[in-house]
PDB file of all heavy atoms in Angstrom:
ATOM      1  N   THR A1112      71.445 149.292 -49.267  1.00 91.00           N
ATOM      2  CA  THR A1112      72.617 149.454 -50.130  1.00 91.00           C
ATOM      3  C   THR A1112      72.185 149.633 -51.578  1.00 91.00           C
ATOM      4  O   THR A1112      72.670 150.535 -52.264  1.00 91.00           O
ATOM      5  CB  THR A1112      73.527 148.220 -50.019  1.00 91.00           C
ATOM      6  OG1 THR A1112      73.630 147.855 -48.645  1.00 91.00           O
ATOM      7  CG2 THR A1112      74.888 148.500 -50.576  1.00 91.00           C
ATOM      8  N   VAL A1113      71.277 148.766 -52.033  1.00 91.00           N
ATOM      9  CA  VAL A1113      70.828 148.872 -53.420  1.00 91.00           C
ATOM     10  C   VAL A1113      70.147 150.212 -53.642  1.00 91.00           C
ATOM     11  O   VAL A1113      70.388 150.887 -54.661  1.00 91.00           O
ATOM     12  CB  VAL A1113      69.875 147.711 -53.764  1.00 91.00           C
ATOM     13  CG1 VAL A1113      69.378 147.848 -55.197  1.00 91.00           C
ATOM     14  CG2 VAL A1113      70.564 146.370 -53.579  1.00 91.00           C
ATOM     15  N   GLU A1114      69.323 150.615 -52.675  1.00 90.00           N
ATOM     16  CA  GLU A1114      68.593 151.861 -52.822  1.00 90.00           C
ATOM     17  C   GLU A1114      69.542 153.055 -52.988  1.00 90.00           C
ATOM     18  O   GLU A1114      69.343 153.915 -53.841  1.00 90.00           O
ATOM     19  CB  GLU A1114      67.691 152.066 -51.598  1.00 90.00           C
ATOM     20  CG  GLU A1114      66.723 153.228 -51.745  1.00 90.00           C
ATOM     21  CD  GLU A1114      66.302 153.783 -50.411  1.00 90.00           C
ATOM     22  OE1 GLU A1114      66.497 153.110 -49.385  1.00 90.00           O
ATOM     23  OE2 GLU A1114      65.780 154.913 -50.389  1.00 90.00           O
ATOM     24  N   GLN A1115      70.602 153.076 -52.171  1.00 89.00           N
ATOM     25  CA  GLN A1115      71.567 154.163 -52.279  1.00 89.00           C
ATOM     26  C   GLN A1115      72.186 154.214 -53.668  1.00 89.00           C
ATOM     27  O   GLN A1115      72.365 155.295 -54.242  1.00 89.00           O
ATOM     28  CB  GLN A1115      72.680 153.993 -51.247  1.00 89.00           C
ATOM     29  CG  GLN A1115      72.319 154.614 -49.898  1.00 89.00           C
ATOM     30  CD  GLN A1115      73.179 154.074 -48.796  1.00 89.00           C
ATOM     31  OE1 GLN A1115      74.277 153.561 -49.057  1.00 89.00           O
ATOM     32  NE2 GLN A1115      72.711 154.160 -47.573  1.00 89.00           N
ATOM     33  N   HIS A1116      72.503 153.017 -54.203  1.00 89.00           N
ATOM     34  CA  HIS A1116      73.102 152.999 -55.530  1.00 89.00           C
ATOM     35  C   HIS A1116      72.097 153.421 -56.596  1.00 89.00           C
ATOM     36  O   HIS A1116      72.453 154.090 -57.557  1.00 89.00           O
ATOM     37  CB  HIS A1116      73.676 151.615 -55.838  1.00 89.00           C
ATOM     38  CG  HIS A1116      75.014 151.391 -55.214  1.00 89.00           C
ATOM     39  ND1 HIS A1116      75.171 151.111 -53.880  1.00 89.00           N
ATOM     40  CD2 HIS A1116      76.260 151.432 -55.740  1.00 89.00           C
ATOM     41  CE1 HIS A1116      76.455 150.982 -53.614  1.00 89.00           C
ATOM     42  NE2 HIS A1116      77.142 151.167 -54.728  1.00 89.00           N
ATOM     43  N   LEU A1117      70.841 153.052 -56.417  1.00 90.00           N
ATOM     44  CA  LEU A1117      69.801 153.468 -57.372  1.00 90.00           C
ATOM     45  C   LEU A1117      69.667 154.983 -57.364  1.00 90.00           C
ATOM     46  O   LEU A1117      69.532 155.618 -58.403  1.00 90.00           O
ATOM     47  CB  LEU A1117      68.465 152.808 -57.021  1.00 90.00           C
ATOM     48  CG  LEU A1117      68.325 151.319 -57.289  1.00 90.00           C
ATOM     49  CD1 LEU A1117      66.965 150.830 -56.825  1.00 90.00           C
ATOM     50  CD2 LEU A1117      68.498 151.027 -58.774  1.00 90.00           C
ATOM     51  N   ARG A1118      69.700 155.550 -56.160  1.00 88.00           N
ATOM     52  CA  ARG A1118      69.525 156.999 -56.047  1.00 88.00           C
ATOM     53  C   ARG A1118      70.691 157.749 -56.672  1.00 88.00           C
ATOM     54  O   ARG A1118      70.550 158.910 -57.062  1.00 88.00           O
ATOM     55  CB  ARG A1118      69.379 157.397 -54.577  1.00 88.00           C
ATOM     56  CG  ARG A1118      68.042 157.065 -54.010  1.00 88.00           C
ATOM     57  CD  ARG A1118      67.810 157.721 -52.673  1.00 88.00           C
ATOM     58  NE  ARG A1118      66.624 157.133 -52.052  1.00 88.00           N
ATOM     59  CZ  ARG A1118      65.382 157.405 -52.441  1.00 88.00           C
ATOM     60  NH1 ARG A1118      65.181 158.281 -53.412  1.00 88.00           N
ATOM     61  NH2 ARG A1118      64.366 156.814 -51.873  1.00 88.00           N
ATOM     62  N   SER A1119      71.861 157.100 -56.708  1.00 88.00           N
ATOM     63  CA  SER A1119      73.013 157.816 -57.250  1.00 88.00           C
ATOM     64  C   SER A1119      73.045 157.761 -58.777  1.00 88.00           C
ATOM     65  O   SER A1119      73.906 158.359 -59.395  1.00 88.00           O
ATOM     66  CB  SER A1119      74.319 157.245 -56.676  1.00 88.00           C
ATOM     67  OG  SER A1119      74.495 155.939 -57.171  1.00 88.00           O
ATOM     68  N   VAL A1120      72.094 157.036 -59.374  1.00 88.00           N
ATOM     69  CA  VAL A1120      71.996 157.061 -60.835  1.00 88.00           C
ATOM     70  C   VAL A1120      71.468 158.442 -61.238  1.00 88.00           C
ATOM     71  O   VAL A1120      70.432 158.881 -60.719  1.00 88.00           O
ATOM     72  CB  VAL A1120      71.025 155.964 -61.336  1.00 88.00           C
ATOM     73  CG1 VAL A1120      70.809 156.101 -62.841  1.00 88.00           C
ATOM     74  CG2 VAL A1120      71.572 154.593 -61.004  1.00 88.00           C
ATOM     75  N   PRO A1121      72.168 159.168 -62.114  1.00 89.00           N
ATOM     76  CA  PRO A1121      71.772 160.546 -62.434  1.00 89.00           C
ATOM     77  C   PRO A1121      70.342 160.596 -62.969  1.00 89.00           C
ATOM     78  O   PRO A1121      69.921 159.722 -63.735  1.00 89.00           O
ATOM     79  CB  PRO A1121      72.758 160.956 -63.526  1.00 89.00           C
ATOM     80  CG  PRO A1121      73.869 159.974 -63.481  1.00 89.00           C
ATOM     81  CD  PRO A1121      73.353 158.731 -62.851  1.00 89.00           C
ATOM     82  N   ASP A1122      69.603 161.621 -62.549  1.00 88.00           N
ATOM     83  CA  ASP A1122      68.225 161.770 -63.017  1.00 88.00           C
ATOM     84  C   ASP A1122      68.179 161.982 -64.522  1.00 88.00           C
ATOM     85  O   ASP A1122      67.155 161.714 -65.158  1.00 88.00           O
ATOM     86  CB  ASP A1122      67.556 162.965 -62.308  1.00 88.00           C
ATOM     87  CG  ASP A1122      66.855 162.490 -61.045  1.00 88.00           C
ATOM     88  OD1 ASP A1122      66.618 161.270 -60.936  1.00 88.00           O
ATOM     89  OD2 ASP A1122      66.564 163.329 -60.177  1.00 88.00           O
ATOM     90  N   ALA A1123      69.294 162.461 -65.095  1.00 90.00           N
ATOM     91  CA  ALA A1123      69.344 162.675 -66.542  1.00 90.00           C
ATOM     92  C   ALA A1123      68.984 161.401 -67.291  1.00 90.00           C
ATOM     93  O   ALA A1123      68.334 161.443 -68.334  1.00 90.00           O
ATOM     94  CB  ALA A1123      70.737 163.161 -66.941  1.00 90.00           C
TER      95      ALA A1123
END
Side-chain angles (χ1 to χ4, degrees):
Chain A
T1112 317
V1113 178
E1114 189 205 344
Q1115 274 162 21
H1116 280 77
L1117 288 177
R1118 285 192 192 286
S1119 68
V1120 174
D1122 269 342

